[in-house]
Amino acid sequence: MFLRLFKYLWPERFLPEAPFDGDLFDENPPITGPGRVGVLLVNLGTPDTPSRGDIRKYLAEFLSDPRVIEIPRYLWMPILHGLVLTLRPKKLVPRYQGIWMDGGSPLMVYSRQQAEGVAQALRARGRDVEVELAMRYGNPSIPDAMTALRQRGCEHILTVPLYPQYAASTTATAVDAVTRHAARLRDQPALRFVKRFHTDPGYIGALAERIESHWQANGRPQLLLLSFHGLPRYSIELGDPYYRECMQTAQLLRARLGLSPEQIEVSFQSRFGSARWLEPYTEPTLKELASRGVASVDVVCPGFVADCLETLEEINQECRHAFLQAGGKQFRYIPALNDSPMWTATLTDIVDNHLQGWPVTPA
């Protein structure tokens, strides 16, 4: 408190030695341009390594977000630190180790490829734009990525949360982190955000292309299951549009694939805690499908643009086992969009459309 008072009364004693390269009070400063444009792609996050310590650090940040766990903190924090962070990291170690790639977690590897692909595509279109990848939880952090863009002269930053369907616990918390960092800056950049792209024709087309390519190589199943990430029902009851947007994506994808309602179903995965979440749940749905005689099923996760623990381990391993144990004969997981050229082109289009009016062409 006293330090703040001294800083206010005698600010010159607390200024850095070289806050500005040039004359702060030049009466004839050089005329500068509008500054460069930066694009910040944001995904959820991942541990740095599949070790217990790094998983615990990641979970601590992720599950401490009040938008992710909407329980009063005085109730949740003792549970988080007393039980969850004590028991869950050890259980997750073999699961992360089972999907880890040479370049890191699949989420990191594919997100980097998407960022590099968008950067190359924008350059090919003649756009003078810098692209950085950030993770909402873990590394590279949003503050670090924004600092990197600012150091390269970006006066305008477009943030693109890599979540097709909007949810407060995903898209909104990424916006929170960007604006929270900007709130600490004296010289703020201009900011824009992509809120959703769940009905974007390119996104629907990229999903359809992924599925159809899989079918051309492997044949069609009896049923296609669209598994979206789940949310507590109370999130929807409080006004979150996520469920509606998932169902809109499902409708458009079914029409694009030319499937009848009997050939496609929707479910929700990754339930956490004891509260009632969006239904039907994915694993019980697969068991029920097998019990009623569905022998072959393909599962795709439209809400994930990059494969991760929730798709590769939960769906392709746990849910596969549940379906086959219940009597199903053939289970196939269709990979996320990942490094799909059509998805890279679509993501570039989404970025380009939201950069309209900004100085994206070289002076």
Side-chain angles (χ1 to χ4, degrees):
M1 177 178 177
F2 288 109
L3 181 59
R4 291 181 183 177
L5 178 61
F6 281 123
K7 284 183 177 181
Y8 180 77
L9 295 176
W10 295 286
E12 65 278 0
R13 295 177 62 88
F14 296 92
L15 286 174
E17 292 184 2
F20 181 75
D21 184 14
D23 187 353
L24 282 170
F25 303 101
D26 187 355
E27 294 182 358
N28 297 290
I31 304 300
T32 59
R36 303 185 67 203
V37 173
V39 174
L40 183 66
L41 301 180
V42 181
N43 215 323
L44 183 74
T46 172
D48 293 332
T49 69
S51 67
R52 183 177 180 180
D54 281 341
I55 293 173
R56 187 182 192 281
K57 180 180 177 182
Y58 165 71
L59 287 179
E61 183 181 5
F62 175 43
L63 297 177
S64 293
D65 190 333
R67 282 199 185 270
V68 173
I69 305 295
E70 297 185 79
I71 298 174
R73 294 181 70 78
Y74 70 90
L75 294 176
W76 171 241
M77 296 310 283
I79 298 173
L80 175 62
H81 290 277
L83 289 176
V84 178
L85 296 180
T86 301
L87 303 175
R88 190 162 178 79
K90 183 179 180 180
K91 294 180 180 178
L92 289 178
V93 168
R95 297 174 65 180
Y96 272 109
Q97 289 176 338
I99 65 166
W100 213 256
M101 302 172 70
D102 289 341
S105 73
L107 182 71
M108 179 62 74
V109 171
Y110 292 125
S111 295
R112 280 178 180 152
Q113 292 176 354
Q114 291 171 8
E116 292 166 1
V118 169
Q120 293 173 5
L122 288 171
R123 284 195 295 270
R125 298 182 185 187
R127 305 292 189 256
D128 180 27
V129 174
E130 294 286 339
V131 179
E132 281 285 329
L133 172 68
M135 294 294 170
R136 174 59 186 89
Y137 313 101
N139 298 306
S141 70
I142 286 176
D144 286 349
M146 291 183 69
T147 298
L149 291 173
R150 293 288 284 159
Q151 289 173 344
R152 296 202 291 274
C154 295
E155 291 286 337
H156 310 74
I157 296 177
L158 170 69
T159 299
V160 188
L162 294 173
Y163 313 112
Q165 298 79 23
Y166 174 93
S169 57
T170 54
T171 307
T173 191
V175 174
D176 289 346
V178 169
T179 54
R180 186 161 52 243
H181 177 70
R184 296 194 292 266
L185 301 177
R186 183 168 294 275
D187 183 11
Q188 294 180 330
L191 297 175
R192 286 181 184 172
F193 301 90
V194 173
K195 184 174 182 179
R196 56 169 65 89
F197 50 88
H198 68 295
T199 60
D200 183 271
Y203 160 69
I204 299 297
L207 286 173
E209 189 269 342
R210 198 66 153 174
I211 295 167
E212 289 170 338
S213 295
H214 176 84
W215 287 347
Q216 287 173 6
N218 303 286
R220 291 198 174 203
Q222 281 183 258
L223 185 136
L224 176 67
L225 182 65
L226 309 183
S227 180
F228 292 89
H229 198 287
L231 279 185
R233 282 183 61 91
Y234 63 73
S235 297
I236 309 305
E237 293 164 356
L238 290 172
D240 202 305
Y242 178 75
Y243 178 81
R244 180 176 67 249
E245 295 186 7
C246 289
M247 303 313 288
Q248 289 170 343
T249 295
Q251 290 177 38
L252 292 172
L253 187 56
R254 180 179 69 80
R256 175 65 175 75
L257 293 170
L259 300 178
S260 67
E262 295 76 25
Q263 294 174 300
I264 187 170
E265 290 192 18
V266 173
S267 64
F268 296 89
Q269 65 187 79
S270 306
R271 180 186 177 191
F272 179 80
S274 59
R276 186 181 178 190
W277 280 42
L278 294 177
E279 296 173 293
Y281 303 135
T282 296
E283 186 172 318
T285 295
L286 287 164
K287 291 178 179 179
E288 193 270 334
L289 288 173
S291 69
R292 73 177 195 230
V294 175
S296 63
V297 63
D298 283 359
V299 181
V300 67
C301 301
F304 299 87
V305 299
D307 273 317
C308 56
L309 188 72
E310 285 81 358
T311 62
L312 298 176
E313 203 277 338
E314 180 182 355
I315 296 298
N316 200 29
Q317 294 182 35
E318 292 183 5
C319 288
R320 172 191 297 275
H321 178 75
F323 179 71
L324 297 178
Q325 284 292 105
K329 302 302 181 184
Q330 184 183 68
F331 178 102
R332 298 181 305 198
Y333 169 66
I334 300 176
L337 294 172
N338 294 337
D339 57 351
S340 156
M342 188 171 181
W343 166 237
T344 299
T346 292
L347 184 55
T348 304
D349 288 340
I350 291 171
V351 168
D352 216 358
N353 290 337
H354 282 81
L355 294 179
Q356 298 298 312
W358 274 1
V360 295
T361 54

